[in-house]
Amino acid sequence: KKINLKIPEGTDSGKKFRLKGLGMPDGKDGRGDLYVIIKIKTPKKLSQKQKEELAKLSFLKNID
């Protein structure tokens, strides 16, 4: 079964989401809960252009 999970902006790696009733059958005509743990990987190698674009985003973040 496919489901869509909306992950809120700013979610940190290691955050756990519980999807109630979408896990394994519990033996009582129901289902347990499914847990999703977020694992965020950051790129280790960036091109010069990618570094420049990231710097632009960082600059925009600090404007208030």
Side-chain angles (χ1 to χ4, degrees), residues 2 5 8 11-13 17-18 22-26 29-30 34-36 38-40 44-45 49 52 56 58 60:
K2 279 189 176 184
L5 173 63
T11 299
D12 291 324
S13 192
F17 291 93
R18 182 178 81 162
L22 294 177
M24 297 292 291
D26 64 8
D29 297 327
L34 174 66
Y35 289 88
V36 176
I38 303 301
K39 297 209 182 227
I40 298 171
K44 302 294 184 219
K45 296 179 182 179
K49 182 173 180 171
E52 291 168 3
K56 287 180 193 175
S58 179
L60 291 174

Side-chain angles (χ1 to χ4, degrees), residues 43 45-56:
K45 296 179 182 179
L46 297 174
S47 70
Q48 187 60 36
K49 182 173 180 171
Q50 290 170 323
K51 288 178 185 178
E52 291 168 3
E53 294 297 321
L54 190 56
K56 287 180 193 175

